[in-house]
Amino acid sequence: MELNRVLARAFASIVVSIDLSDDDAIDPDVATDILEPAGALLDELSEQDRRAFAEMLVELSELEEDPERRQAMADLPDVLGLVDEEEV
């Protein structure tokens, strides 16, 4: 697996783990503090790169064996604001 795909999968795995964690395990305010800077960095991507990253996340979601994690990862492009609402 190429470097970009490995990094994207690692990022998505962390985001999904935080998203699916119990509020007792990770405080929602702390989760927001962790994820907002990452989201801000993604906002700096060009439209073409945002689209490519969104497509990569959807492709990588298919590698997830757990159905709940697979769906959460497939939803990341929308959750992270990588796609326009009409593309969802």
Side-chain angles (χ1 to χ4, degrees):
M1 192 179 291
E2 71 176 76
L3 177 63
N4 288 341
R5 291 178 63 81
V6 170
L7 292 174
R9 189 170 185 196
F11 172 77
S13 180
I14 291 168
V15 172
V16 167
S17 293
I18 291 170
D19 184 47
L20 295 179
S21 70
D22 206 2
D23 287 354
D24 294 333
I26 299 178
D27 183 278
D29 292 332
V30 172
T32 299
D33 289 345
I34 293 169
L35 296 175
E36 276 186 352
L41 288 172
L42 295 175
D43 287 342
E44 295 177 16
L45 292 173
S46 69
E47 185 61 35
Q48 180 180 0
D49 286 342
R50 292 162 66 89
R51 198 171 306 119
F53 188 48
E55 290 171 6
M56 186 182 299
L57 290 173
V58 172
E59 290 171 13
L60 291 171
S61 73
E62 296 170 10
L63 300 175
E64 283 293 331
E65 294 180 15
D66 179 89
E68 184 178 24
R69 289 184 61 83
R70 183 182 312 117
Q71 185 60 54
M73 190 178 290
D75 292 341
L76 282 180
D78 182 44
V79 170
L80 296 171
L82 295 171
V83 294
D84 295 330
E85 287 184 29
E86 60 266 6
E87 293 181 51
V88 179

